[in-house]
Amino acid sequence: SKIPQDYSLSQNYPNPFNPVTKIDFSVPKNGIVILKIYDLLGKEVVTLINKEMNSGNYTVDFDASKLSSGTYFYKLTSGMFSRTKKMLLVK
């Protein structure tokens, strides 16, 4: 597959979801990648990724079966890039 030119964080799908959703992201350079989930109050719920990763396109499955319904945020950080998006868990 092709090496991405820019960092990107896509909207999760499906959204709203119950209980599993997919999060797509791209990193153009090797480096530390952090992907975390936060609740509506900004409290960290889970860290999905916190490791050195190669450049490329990735998909992560997030299983929220142990969480309650509501709005959550997911944040991707790598190098100087940081992006946050909103998702809705409906049980």
Side-chain angles (χ1 to χ4, degrees):
S1 73
K2 195 168 113 173
I3 294 175
Q5 297 296 309
D6 297 307
Y7 289 97
S8 71
L9 177 62
S10 299
Q11 185 64 50
N12 67 301
Y13 61 92
N15 189 35
F17 69 100
N18 176 27
V20 178
T21 188
K22 294 184 179 298
I23 300 170
D24 293 337
F25 64 93
S26 300
V27 290
K29 298 186 223 176
N30 297 359
I32 299 292
V33 175
I34 302 169
L35 180 60
K36 294 185 177 188
I37 309 294
Y38 298 90
D39 66 14
L40 196 55
L41 300 174
K43 179 183 170 200
E44 183 181 323
V45 175
V46 66
T47 298
L48 297 177
I49 298 173
N50 185 0
K51 65 180 182 179
E52 180 88 22
M53 295 182 76
N54 294 326
S55 60
N57 301 301
Y58 297 92
T59 299
V60 175
D61 289 328
F62 171 50
D63 183 348
S65 57
K66 295 181 181 175
L67 300 176
S68 58
S69 294
T71 301
Y72 293 87
F73 298 92
Y74 55 103
K75 181 178 182 181
L76 179 73
T77 307
S78 183
M80 299 298 289
F81 177 83
S82 180
R83 181 80 31 92
T84 303
K85 298 219 177 219
K86 182 168 71 169
M87 61 182 163
L88 186 61
L89 171 61
V90 178
K91 290 192 171 183

